[in-house]
């Protein structure tokens, strides 16, 4: 058995002799990290958990009113680019919902497109989460939100994958995982949504993240197979599936954090898994903190497995 790597991912970003420590951000809660490489830096687009208080959100639940963006040239020193979107400034969002959940950001045609879910002002059609887009000239913002959410999409956890041929795809979650082609302008769907139904049927799946390596499309996602979310992956030869379940990248949180939301990115020759636990809030798992570990592909007989160690 030839191992592609035998190293254990004990710490993050082994750049030179410097090692960053998990969690990555200490002065605020951060969750749902979507990591992207833009230029020479890695950018992370997380959710921003805050404490509940009277008039601020809902007790014992996720409370998120805005997004901050973070970047780093080495994974060690992180710059907070400040608040880039607030629930108060998105025309279609219920500004008292504190529901600015997991976002993602991609670069296309000279612009940065930030995708984010939130509760719409109008929920009369039973749509409790819409997904919107905001456009910026810089990965650190500011971003200008579109007036309306994406038509035909209800759900959370947007992820955008742009294939080598330039076709962009939107993935999202609503109990199940969904996918559709995006239009060239990145602001609307170009195909009917499909359910990625070939995955384990039982247990909540959310937080899809798709990437491609050597012609193989990897779909990675949190799944509640037992008590809390673990990170699994499946592979396919088409961005719209079918995807075949392959295994577990990361087991349930040792600290009991019910959610785990992740992204996978290659930066300066190393693959990384970004995810969250609740390191800074051990007694309340909805005030979370982002982390990152190295990620490896190991050869197992004739096939390859995605492993954290
Ligand atoms: O952060 C709120 C929700 O928790 C996300 O949308 C899910 O993926 C889970 O992490």
């Amino acid at each position: 058995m030839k191992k592609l790597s035998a190293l254990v991912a004990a710490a993050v970003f082994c750049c030179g002799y410097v090692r960053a420590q998990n969690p990555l951000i200490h002065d605020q809660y951060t969750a749902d990290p979507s990591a992207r490489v833009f230029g020479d830096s890695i950018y992370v687009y997380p959710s921003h958990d805050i404490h509940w208080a009277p008039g601020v959100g809902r007790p014992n639940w996720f409370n998120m009113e805005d997004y901050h963006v973070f970047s780093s040239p080495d994974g060690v020193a992180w710059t907070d680019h400040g608040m880039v979107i607030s629930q108060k400034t998105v025309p279609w969002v219920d500004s008292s919902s504190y529901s600015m959940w997991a976002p993602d950001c991609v670069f296309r045609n000279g612009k940065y497109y930030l995708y984010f879910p939130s509760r719409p002002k109008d929920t009369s059609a039973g749509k409790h989460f819409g997904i919107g887009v905001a456009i910026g000239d810089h990965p650190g913002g500011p971003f200008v939100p579109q007036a309306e959410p994406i038509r035909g999409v209800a759900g959370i956890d947007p992820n955008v994958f742009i294939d080598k041929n330039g076709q962009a795809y939107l993935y999202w979650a609503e109990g199940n995982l969904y996918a559709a082609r995006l239009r060239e302008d990145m602001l609307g769907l170009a195909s009917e949504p499909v359910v990625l139904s070939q995955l384990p049927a039982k247990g909540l799946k959310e937080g899809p993240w798709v990437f491609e390596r050597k012609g193989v499309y990897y779909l990675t996602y949190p799944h509640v197979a037992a008590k809390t979310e673990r990170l699994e992956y499946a592979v396919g030869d088409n961005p719209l599936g079918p995807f075949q379940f392959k295994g577990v990248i990361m087991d349930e949180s040792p600290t009991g954090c019910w959610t785990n939301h992740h992204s996978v990115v290659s930066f300066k020759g190393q693959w990384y898994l970004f995810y969250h636990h609740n390191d800074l809030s051990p007694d309340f798992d909805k005030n979370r903190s982002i982390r990152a570990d190295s990620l490896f592909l190991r050869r197992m007989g004739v096939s390859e497995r995605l492993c954290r160690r």
Side-chain angles (χ1 to χ4, degrees):
M1 184 173 78
K2 182 186 165 203
K3 288 181 182 169
L4 288 187
S5 173
L7 293 179
V8 173
V12 295
F13 292 106
C14 311
C15 296
Y17 296 99
V18 187
R19 283 177 174 231
Q21 296 296 315
N22 280 321
L24 300 180
I25 307 297
H26 286 253
D27 66 349
Q28 60 196 281
Y29 297 119
T30 50
D32 307 325
S34 289
R36 298 288 184 186
V37 175
F38 295 130
D40 286 337
S41 292
I42 191 151
Y43 283 78
V44 180
Y45 301 83
S47 308
H48 181 197
D49 291 339
I50 57 172
H51 286 293
W52 170 82
V56 177
R58 181 175 152 191
N60 297 315
W61 193 237
F62 305 105
N63 291 309
M64 295 114 111
E65 62 183 337
D66 59 23
Y67 299 112
H68 284 225
V69 178
F70 299 85
S71 73
S72 173
D74 53 12
V76 178
W78 290 90
T79 299
D80 179 354
H81 294 269
M83 195 265 282
V84 295
I85 300 188
S86 156
Q87 63 181 1
K88 297 191 187 82
T89 54
V90 182
W92 59 271
V93 164
D94 172 352
S95 60
S96 61
S97 63
Y98 292 85
S99 296
M100 304 291 273
W101 286 18
D104 189 16
C105 184
V106 292
F107 177 71
R108 186 74 191 263
N109 300 333
K111 300 278 183 195
Y112 296 86
Y113 293 82
L114 183 73
Y115 294 79
F116 60 96
S118 197
R119 176 180 286 266
K121 282 176 179 151
D122 179 7
T123 53
S124 58
K127 181 167 159 178
H128 296 295
F129 270 93
I131 291 178
V133 192
I135 304 175
D137 291 321
H138 185 274
F143 295 93
V144 178
Q146 296 292 295
E148 300 288 340
I150 299 175
R151 196 184 290 260
V153 176
I156 59 171
D157 296 349
N159 163 238
V160 174
F161 166 69
I162 303 176
D163 206 355
K164 287 191 296 268
N165 64 6
Q167 178 64 58
Y169 297 85
L170 177 68
Y171 301 84
W172 67 97
E174 200 193 22
N176 243 314
L177 303 184
Y178 293 80
R181 288 191 182 84
L182 276 171
R183 294 192 318 234
E184 176 64 25
D185 69 2
M186 304 295 278
L187 302 176
L189 300 189
S191 68
E192 284 299 314
V194 294
V195 180
L196 303 177
S197 58
Q198 314 79 24
L199 306 173
K202 208 166 144 260
L204 176 78
K205 292 177 285 295
E206 55 182 6
W209 183 268
V210 171
F211 65 98
E212 183 265 350
R213 179 183 173 273
K214 294 186 178 173
V216 177
Y217 297 92
Y218 290 79
L219 167 65
T220 59
Y221 54 94
H223 175 215
V224 185
K227 286 188 181 159
T228 63
E229 290 183 340
R230 67 184 195 184
L231 302 180
E232 299 178 355
Y233 78 105
V235 299
D237 56 13
N238 186 304
L240 293 177
F243 291 97
Q244 188 193 357
F245 173 78
K246 278 287 180 187
V248 177
I249 308 171
M250 184 180 221
D251 218 332
E252 293 181 346
S253 155
T255 62
C257 188
W258 198 93
T259 62
N260 195 355
H261 186 115
H262 74 298
S263 56
V264 175
V265 69
S266 172
F267 182 54
K268 298 185 177 170
Q270 172 66 55
W271 287 90
Y272 295 99
L273 175 72
F274 282 74
Y275 60 101
H276 68 231
H277 278 343
N278 55 329
D279 304 70
L280 303 182
S281 173
D283 298 327
F284 183 54
D285 71 351
K286 289 169 184 61
N287 283 165
R288 300 157 294 177
S289 296
I290 61 169
R291 309 176 116 250
D293 288 346
S294 301
L295 189 66
F296 302 96
L297 274 157
R298 281 189 175 174
R299 191 168 290 285
M300 304 285 201
V302 291
S303 61
E304 286 180 335
R305 298 290 300 270
L306 210 47
C307 310
R308 270 204 317 142
R309 42 182 65 110

